[in-house]
Structures are given as C-alpha cells and as structure tokens.
Amino acid sequence: MIRSATHSSYPRIGDGAWDQQLRRTARERDRGLATETELRAVEDEVASLVVAEQARAFVDLVTDGLVRWSGPFSHLPRGWDGVEQGGLARWFETGLYDRRPAVTGPVSRREAVVVRDARLALEVRPKALKAVLPGPVTLAHVARRDAGVDREELAGQFAAALAAEAAELAAAGVRVLQVDEPILCREPASAAAVARCVGPVFEAMGTGATTILSTYFGDLASPGIDLASLPGTHLGLDMVHGPGNWPLLTKLPEGRGVHLGLFDARTVRIESSDEVFERMVPYREILMERDVMVGPQCGLELIPRDYAFDKLLQARYLKERLEREWQWRS
Amino acid sequence: MAFLTTTIGSFPKPPALHEARRRYAEGAIEAAALREVENEATLRALRFQEDLGLDLLVDGEMDRADPITTFAERLSGVEIAGWVRAYGDRYVRKPRIVGPVARAGASTVERFRYARGAASREVKAVLPGPYSLVDGSYDDHYPSRRAACTALAEIVREEVRDLAAAGATDIQIDEPAAGARPDEIAWMHELIERVGEPVRGRARLWVYLGYADLDALGEALAATPADGLLVAGAHCGYAGVERFARAVPANRFVGIGVVDTLRPSVESEGEIRDRIARVRDLVAPDRLWIVPDGGFRALRPDAARAKLSAMVRAAK
C-alpha cells in the first residue's frame, strides 16, 4: 500500500492577516488583553484548520500539526510529576528552541497531555489521523538530571508515562501512532534503549495499530543498529539528510513498513514529485513489497506555511504517480 | 562590591511603536513618522537605563522586529521567506538567501548615532554575527554554509568598521547559534577574527553566545576571539557557566546572564545575588559584567523593567 503522510508538526501561522490569529492572540495575552482560555480556543480553531489544510492537499495521513505543543522537549512532560521546565536548548540543528526537561525526582504521569487534541482532530479526520509522541530515549538524552540518575533508567520512566498516554490515545480512537527518536541517528549506541523503551509505548496501542518509529536528521546505517530489533510496524527514515538510508531499504526486516521522509522540511526549496520519484525508481521492487508512506522527513513547522503546503502537495503528486505508473494501490 | 552592568540589546517595544509599525506596514504613515516614534521609544529606553545606573547602554533595538531579519532584509541577495516559530509563542520572519549578498549601505549606524547623541554615557552597538545570520536563514545560493558565512562576514565587517568610524567604543556581535554545531566552532572563530579585525585596538568587541550548551561546549566557546564574551546563565540554573568562566582567558571581559528574559516571573534581588555569588570568584571583579540572559524583546515592559531593576540593584 502507498500513502502520503504529514510527518508531525505544521506551521501555526501564515502570512495572511487571518493566518496570524494565533500569534496576535498570544501577544494580546502577553499584554493582558486576552485570557489564557481565549488563546486555547484560538489554538483549537487553528488545529482544526491545520487538519483541514492537510486534507485540502489530499494527504492520506494527517496530524493535528502539534499546534498546541510548547515544543518538542517540553510539551509531554507538562503532564508529568518529577519534571520541570529547564534551560533553553535547540531542537537539533534547527532554529527552534525549547525548554529541556529538568528532572527533579521519580517521573510519573499525572494527566493526559495530547489526548484531548487527538479527540478534536479525530472529529475532523476520523480515519486518517496520526498521533505523535516524543521518544523517551531522545527526551532522556536532552533532559537535565542529577549525576546519580541513570539516563536509561530515566528513559524507562519517560516510556512508562508515554505508554499511559498511548493507551488513552488508543481508547480515544487513534489507530496510528508515531514516536520520534531522532537521537538514534546521532547515537547508534542508543538502539538497544530505543528497542527496550519504545516497544511498550507501541504495545499500549493494542493489536492492529499502526506504529511508526520515526528517525530523522541522519541515517541508521551504523553497523551497531540492528533494524530487526527496533519496534513498530513501520520504520521512519530520513532519506534527505540520511543518504545512508537508501541502501538500508534492502535490509529492512520482512513485513516492516516504511515512512519515507523524502521532502526536506528544513529548506524552502520545493523538490518536485518527479525528482523524488526518480530517486525511488531503483528501489521499486523492494518498496512495492511493503506498506509505504511518503512525505516530509521531519515536522514542517521549520518552514513557512505556504512552503509546507507545497511540500505536502508534492508528496501527494508523488503518491499519485506511484499509483499510476507502478500500479501501486493506496 | 559593585559589578559592571549592561544588557544584551533589545527592550520591549511600547504599544505606540507597535501601532506605528502596523500603520506603516499598511501604508497609512510615512517612514519619517515611524522614525519619530522609534526615536521616542529609543529615548525612553536610554533614560530608563541611565536612571537605573547601567554602565554601558544600548539603543533598545526599537527599529528591529527581529535582529536577524531586520539586518538581513536590508541586504541585496536576501528575501523574506515567511513566518516560522522560534520559541514558544515567538515567531520570526525567516530570511532566504537567493543571490550574492551585498550591502547597499550601513544598517545599524544611523540608530547608533541617534542613541549615542542622546545618551549621557557610552552606548554599545549591537548587530548579528555572520554565523547566526546564515543559521537563521534559508540558503538557496551558496554552495556551503561556510561559503555563506564567509560572504556574510564581509558584510558584518564593513558594518563594524562603519560603527567604529561613527564613534562606537563597544560593538557587540550576536552569535546565539555559536554552539549549534560543535565541529564548526573553530571556523566560527575565524569569522569573528575577520569581523573584528578593522576595530582591533580601537573599540571593544563583544560576542554574545546566547543559550549555548556550556556544559558541553564551555571550553571551546570560551576561546572565541573577542574582548568580551556574554552568555546566558539563569535559564539553565548555571549549568556549565562556571566551567565556561574558568576557561575564558584572564584578559577578556565576561558577561554572565543572571535573569531569565524568556520567563515573565521576576527574580528577587536575593536570588540574583546568589547567582552572582556563583561566578564572582571565577572572574576578576573589573572583568565581570552582570547582564540579562538575552534581549528583553519577548517580555512585557513592566516585567522587563522589574527584572532589570532587580539585576542592577543586586549587582551594585
């Protein structure tokens, strides 16, 4: 099966006056002219619009754009005890800053964080929603912790909190879950920890769920990474910033689907669906044996909204060409 | 003991300036009318700093929406791609390099001249550095990041030279992206050398290193070739700051951030004194500067005023 898919985040504002509503309301809130409740209501509106905009690009698998997320490190820990918001750090080599989790004690989940968001998005796209969670190992890697706290043990605590979130997402009707572990491309030695920690998060989704282990900003070509040990029904690979992932397609475990990140979500150059198609041609037979999703290699909020939409359109055109020329059904 | 104090650059824009900028964007007022409002806001920022007793003033960046964007959009070879999120609810209009970059004229000198003429003590000129200009832009023209940075370094170098010619005794290069890629720190230093070369011995060159991970990169960043280095410390509970301060050569000035400029809650004077106590023995007293973590652009004016007042009281 072939599907087009958004990766995770989507730009919250655009250049038009109406598209600036979220930014404007946040500024009004800062000046005491709007309440937190009013800002949250605007976020809900924007999230619905973002889901609808992806549908307008005819993307098969959409997200809620992570519109309400404070950031990739800090958002989920807001619902956890034992973690505070720490100092600023960059999200890998991007211009996006966020607060690191600062661990103050044993971590446990206090309340759901993204379940309500998923319910609202399901109302707009009931059969095509992908929920996204940060990876416990990546979170543990960026977290500030006391010298006595073991990183892997911390990742295990984060994983338990994320598994509880996943179980509630599944109960809310989510059938596709992506967990982001970009650290795996930087630190191949973390593969065992990823396998150990992310597995239970996916298991919490129950049988029949589509579970995507997403990696990006590099490749998984290190010999230290045993692809078969990585959890999930699908493996997310960055084919733009991880050229070493192309030959890996021949080594994927049997039956494993792939979420191919083919469009660069860190640049505003729009790759045409045709140029991306040509890159896929040598791997036609291998790919057609699998369940494949095509789209950007990471969240789209790193580029302006017009460009993000254009990249999704190209992903759709790519999927349509694959259907047409390879007789690949979606 | 009293410590020297300065700020990183930006102050919150008053509502009248927001309104004037909006009206200018709509074509309802001329550039001269906007300039008048910017001048008024600059004067207020200067008076506030003077009243508090800061040792080195800034103009408050009342003419800049965002330091990278405003500098970049005045260059040829650069377009604005659109809005992207930078942190929390903060968004920037991110530039895109589409051709060879060139400077039509000085970008920051007019505002510096105005502020210096209106101030009772020295004003530090502030401008973005080449590494962060490229890091904060999409590059569709140069073959590599290093090539783009080298081209931007020439632009910043000319600007630095013009600022010194206009009488700037202190020039701050903002390189908040300095720690983004550890393997590029060495050639980022070469860029700073190049940029600062025209004013060596004539003006003090400062480099603001932003929110870099000092735990991991403190030693490498401490070798940045400048007369003074400024870092954020409050945001991260001083992780790595002591290590950084120890590594800075003894003949350099060191500015340590003691208030978090991205959180609205105001630190108490006592809290700030405790933070100063952590670094006061690591740097010679006449070399240590007490500063905020970053610019005050993102804060409400009342919060910025309260934070800066507490900082100066604690330092003095």
Side-chain angles (χ1 to χ4, degrees):
Chain A
M1 185 152 81
I2 176 74
R3 282 176 283 181
S4 56
T6 307
H7 184 275
S8 49
S9 64
Y10 194 78
R12 303 167 188 199
I13 67 169
D15 284 333
W18 174 253
D19 296 335
Q20 291 272 310
Q21 193 193 10
L22 189 55
R23 175 173 167 267
R24 208 168 39 236
T25 310
R27 268 182 25 197
E28 286 172 358
R29 188 266 322 263
D30 293 345
R31 290 186 218 150
L33 302 173
T35 64
E36 201 65 36
T37 310
E38 285 169 321
L39 181 60
R40 299 283 89 89
V42 174
E43 277 180 349
D44 285 349
E45 277 177 40
V46 171
S48 293
L49 287 170
V50 158
V51 174
E53 186 158 313
Q54 293 166 76
R56 195 158 59 83
F58 288 93
V59 173
D60 298 317
L61 208 49
V62 305
T63 69
D64 70 349
L66 317 192
V67 161
R68 303 170 187 86
W69 284 38
S70 52
F73 307 140
S74 64
H75 192 66
L76 265 293
R78 288 175 165 218
W80 302 347
D81 288 324
V83 191
E84 289 178 354
Q85 297 213 352
L88 253 68
R90 284 166 69 106
W91 176 240
F92 291 87
E93 288 174 9
T94 74
L96 183 64
Y97 284 83
D98 192 16
R99 295 269 176 188
R100 291 167 186 251
V103 179
T104 57
V107 177
S108 61
R109 183 172 175 267
R110 186 179 61 251
E111 60 193 13
V113 179
V114 296
V115 177
R116 175 184 171 274
D117 309 351
R119 281 204 186 97
L120 292 174
L122 282 165
E123 288 174 14
V124 186
R125 292 283 283 167
K127 291 185 180 166
L129 181 76
K130 175 173 73 171
V132 180
L133 292 174
V137 178
T138 299
L139 274 187
H141 184 82
V142 299
R144 287 266 174 224
R145 62 195 197 286
D146 287 338
V149 179
D150 177 69
R151 187 186 285 174
E152 277 211 31
E153 188 187 320
L154 183 62
Q157 293 177 22
F158 288 164
L162 290 164
E165 192 83 10
E168 278 196 45
L169 285 169
V174 172
R175 300 309 299 142
V176 183
L177 176 69
Q178 174 177 301
V179 170
D180 287 3
E181 288 286 19
I183 197 65
L184 192 49
C185 300
R186 288 290 166 83
E187 294 206 350
S190 65
V194 168
R196 187 172 61 80
C197 295
V198 179
V201 181
F202 287 157
E203 283 161 21
M205 289 293 291
T207 52
T210 300
T211 51
I212 305 159
L213 176 68
S214 179
T215 66
Y216 43 93
F217 301 150
D219 61 46
L220 302 185
S222 165
I225 299 177
D226 172 15
L227 296 179
S229 73
L230 297 176
T233 60
H234 290 65
L235 185 59
L237 297 171
D238 182 340
M239 312 310 282
V240 180
H241 296 285
N245 280 333
W246 285 102
L248 277 193
L249 294 177
T250 61
K251 299 175 187 163
L252 286 175
E254 205 177 321
R256 187 76 57 96
V258 275
H259 191 302
L260 297 177
L262 295 159
F263 298 87
D264 192 348
R266 290 201 290 185
T267 73
V268 290
R269 192 183 81 79
I270 304 295
E271 308 92 332
S272 73
S273 57
D274 290 343
E275 76 181 86
V276 175
F277 176 85
E278 292 306 324
R279 274 184 229 139
M280 294 178 73
V281 166
Y283 301 93
R284 174 178 175 164
E285 281 182 27
I286 299 161
L287 289 171
M288 286 195 69
E289 288 171 2
R290 299 177 185 277
D291 185 33
V292 175
M293 302 163 192
V294 293
Q297 42 70 246
C298 70
L300 284 163
E301 73 168 330
L302 305 172
I303 56 176
R305 189 184 268 185
D306 290 350
Y307 295 95
F309 185 75
D310 283 349
K311 298 230 177 204
L312 287 184
L313 273 184
Q314 293 303 322
R316 165 206 166 182
Y317 298 150
L318 172 66
K319 186 207 86 165
E320 288 173 352
R321 186 167 174 192
L322 290 166
E323 283 176 318
R324 196 171 55 244
E325 295 191 19
W326 291 6
Q327 279 87 52
W328 204 351
R329 70 179 177 83
S330 61
Chain B
M1 178 187 293
F3 294 99
L4 295 160
T5 52
T6 186
T7 62
I8 299 303
S10 67
F11 276 72
K13 292 180 177 61
L17 181 51
H18 283 296
E19 177 64 12
R21 290 166 66 91
R22 190 184 62 76
R23 297 191 67 207
Y24 176 69
E26 289 170 354
I29 60 170
E30 298 291 323
L34 173 62
R35 186 85 32 85
E36 250 179 58
V37 184
E38 287 171 352
N39 288 347
E40 179 58 35
T42 303
L43 281 180
R44 286 176 64 176
L46 289 169
R47 295 290 98 83
F48 175 60
Q49 296 170 76
E50 287 167 339
D51 291 347
L52 281 180
L54 281 150
D55 297 288
L56 185 57
L57 313 184
V58 295
D59 65 33
E61 301 183 11
M62 295 301 166
D63 61 337
R64 304 183 202 176
D66 168 81
I68 299 277
T69 309
T70 303
F71 191 87
E73 71 185 343
R74 291 172 182 168
L75 305 174
S76 59
V78 178
E79 294 173 353
I80 298 301
W83 290 94
V84 293
R85 194 165 75 94
Y87 165 74
D89 294 323
R90 290 185 65 197
Y91 301 83
V92 295
R93 288 164 58 241
K94 194 163 174 176
R96 177 186 193 184
I97 302 170
V98 294
V101 290
R103 197 178 72 130
S107 172
T108 58
V109 172
E110 184 190 334
R111 178 74 14 204
F112 168 75
R113 276 212 182 96
Y114 177 82
R116 187 169 186 254
S120 61
R121 63 194 75 152
E122 287 301 338
V123 173
K124 177 174 61 171
V126 181
L127 71 165
Y131 191 81
S132 297
L133 275 164
V134 173
D135 183 79
S137 307
Y138 304 108
D139 177 16
D140 285 346
H141 174 72
Y142 291 97
S144 66
R145 184 162 45 246
R146 188 160 188 173
C149 287
T150 302
L152 262 305
E154 294 309 307
I155 305 265
V156 177
R157 178 185 158 99
E158 287 171 30
E159 192 79 17
V160 163
R161 187 199 57 209
D162 289 351
L163 282 164
T169 57
D170 291 85
I171 300 172
Q172 177 181 309
I173 306 296
D174 284 349
E175 286 289 16
R181 299 166 194 85
D183 54 335
E184 294 180 359
I185 290 176
W187 61 258
M188 187 272 293
H189 288 170
E190 291 172 23
L191 298 172
I192 297 294
E193 282 278 10
R194 177 76 186 153
V195 161
E197 193 267 333
V199 298
R200 196 157 300 130
R202 293 165 55 205
R204 282 192 295 199
L205 190 77
W206 299 82
V207 175
Y208 170 59
L209 298 164
Y211 297 89
D213 183 352
L214 298 176
D215 242 354
L217 307 171
E219 275 101 0
L221 291 172
T224 304
D227 300 301
L229 300 176
L230 304 154
V231 292
H235 77 108
C236 59
Y238 276 66
V241 170
E242 287 150 348
R243 189 173 169 182
F244 167 81
R246 278 196 193 94
V248 176
N251 62 347
R252 308 261 169 87
F253 297 100
V254 182
I256 305 287
V258 295
V259 291
D260 189 333
T261 50
L262 291 171
R263 286 193 207 269
S265 56
V266 179
E267 294 91 341
S268 72
E269 215 176 300
E271 248 176 298
I272 299 171
R273 275 205 200 94
D274 289 345
R275 291 172 181 177
I276 294 172
R278 294 183 63 167
V279 289
R280 60 187 299 169
D281 296 331
L282 304 176
V283 181
D286 60 338
R287 297 261 150 194
L288 178 62
W289 286 72
I290 301 304
V291 300
D293 267 4
F296 284 112
R297 172 180 288 107
L299 288 177
R300 283 170 58 149
D302 54 343
R305 276 195 295 271
K307 277 176 183 269
L308 195 52
S309 303
M311 184 194 96
V312 175
R313 283 197 306 271
K316 300 296 181 193

